[in-house]
Each structure stands twice: as C-alpha cells, then as structure tokens.
Amino acid sequence: MKLWLASLTDLFNRPGLLLEFLLVLALLGLAGLLAQALRRRAAGGRGALPVGGVQRLAFPLIAILLLTACGFLAHHFGSRFRLVNVAVQLMVALAAVRMAVFAVRRAFPQALWVAGFERTLATLIWAGVALDLLGLLPELIEWLDGFAFHVGRAHLTLWSVLQGIASV
C-alpha cells in the first residue's frame, strides 16, 4: 500500500498531469460526440452502424482509436502519457463489458434480469480493472483473505465466499 501511495504521489506531482487529464477528457468528449452522430445517422436509416448492441461499441472503439493515436503521437515526439494509457485500458474494459452484455441479451432475450445484470457486470468489471491498473487488486485480495472463519471443518475466507458467489 505504501508503494502504491508513493507512486500515486509521484503521479500527481508530475508537471503535465492536468494537461494530460484535460486532453483525455477532450478526447473522450470527442469520441462521445462522434458516437452520438453515428447513432443518429443509423437511426435515420442511413446505415452507418447496425442496429442493436453493436452501436453501443461505437463510443469505446472510437475512444480507443483517438486515445491510441494521441499516445502514438506523444511517443513519436518523445513524451509518455500515462493517463492516456490508463484511459485506453478502461475503454477496452468498457468495450468488453458491452460485448458481454450484448451476448447475454442475445442468449436470454426474454429475461427480465438482464437489465439489472448489465449495470452490475459493468460495475464489477470496471472496478476490477481500475483496481488492477492502480495496483490495488492484489492487496485487496490479500486483505479479503485475511478474514477467515470456519463452517464445520471447512476453512473459509471472505475472498473465497465472494468467488463462490460470483461463480453462481
């Protein structure tokens, strides 16, 4: 945890952090506008994107494209944008969540639980990816493993109970 706090302190002491953060926000905003324009075009019948879950991939894919191009240009000119790399990884996670939810919706078209499942799945995957990117996931797992109890002869930890719940 101390190592993570030290790296976080180093990150916030970087001189170009605010500019990089604003750049990421601007690129995400541009990706949102472009995705919205594609959705409007598809709704108008001009066929820019197929209808359905594929339209939901427009934002993360456009964001990945823009952020990756920005990272490439920064690297080409001798800079390194850490927040841009983190944003790319989070957008990949968002695209994965949206693809998984699309597959679940196609597999269970009449199920009412899918709408609630979508938000829960998205929250869990995003939280897991964010914790992993920040380097906190191994420490959280270790902390959860520290809460142990016995049920009969079985030795359980809070982490093993959460894994069991997630697998059901």
Side-chain angles (χ1 to χ4, degrees), residues 3-21 80-87 133-134:
L3 178 64
W4 180 80
L5 287 175
S7 73
L8 190 62
T9 304
D10 290 343
L11 177 69
F12 284 115
N13 287 332
R14 279 190 27 231
L17 179 71
L18 180 60
L19 180 63
E20 188 177 348
F21 182 74
R80 185 164 177 246
F81 288 163
R82 289 185 190 160
L83 288 180
V84 169
N85 294 335
V86 170
L133 289 174
L134 294 171

Side-chain angles (χ1 to χ4, degrees), residues 16-47:
L17 179 71
L18 180 60
L19 180 63
E20 188 177 348
F21 182 74
L22 292 174
L23 178 64
V24 168
L25 284 180
L27 290 173
L28 291 177
L30 179 60
L33 291 173
L34 291 172
Q36 185 178 27
L38 283 173
R39 277 192 295 274
R40 275 196 214 126
R41 188 171 180 185
R46 289 178 278 212

Side-chain angles (χ1 to χ4, degrees), residues 56 101 104-105 108 111-122:
R56 300 195 64 192
V101 168
V104 169
R105 283 181 188 233
F108 305 103
L112 298 175
W113 55 268
V114 172
F117 174 75
E118 178 177 0
R119 290 201 184 273
T120 303
L121 179 67

Side-chain angles (χ1 to χ4, degrees), residues 25-159:
L25 284 180
L27 290 173
L28 291 177
L30 179 60
L33 291 173
L34 291 172
Q36 185 178 27
L38 283 173
R39 277 192 295 274
R40 275 196 214 126
R41 188 171 180 185
R46 289 178 278 212
L49 286 176
V51 179
V54 178
Q55 284 185 4
R56 300 195 64 192
L57 285 174
F59 170 70
L61 293 179
I62 292 170
I64 290 168
L65 181 69
L66 292 173
L67 290 164
T68 303
C70 177
F72 174 77
L73 289 173
H75 178 72
H76 180 72
F77 289 109
S79 295
R80 185 164 177 246
F81 288 163
R82 289 185 190 160
L83 288 180
V84 169
N85 294 335
V86 170
V88 167
Q89 292 172 343
L90 288 173
M91 289 296 109
V92 168
L94 178 61
V97 166
R98 289 188 174 180
M99 284 189 286
V101 168
F102 179 72
V104 169
R105 283 181 188 233
R106 298 287 283 185
F108 305 103
Q110 303 299 325
L112 298 175
W113 55 268
V114 172
F117 174 75
E118 178 177 0
R119 290 201 184 273
T120 303
L121 179 67
T123 302
L124 290 175
I125 290 176
W126 263 64
V129 168
L131 288 170
D132 188 41
L133 289 174
L134 294 171
L136 292 176
L137 190 58
E139 292 181 29
L140 177 63
I141 291 171
E142 183 181 329
W143 181 75
L144 290 171
D145 263 339
F147 292 99
F149 52 94
H150 295 280
V151 177
R153 291 186 181 194
H155 175 77
L156 297 175
T157 66
L158 189 53
W159 175 241

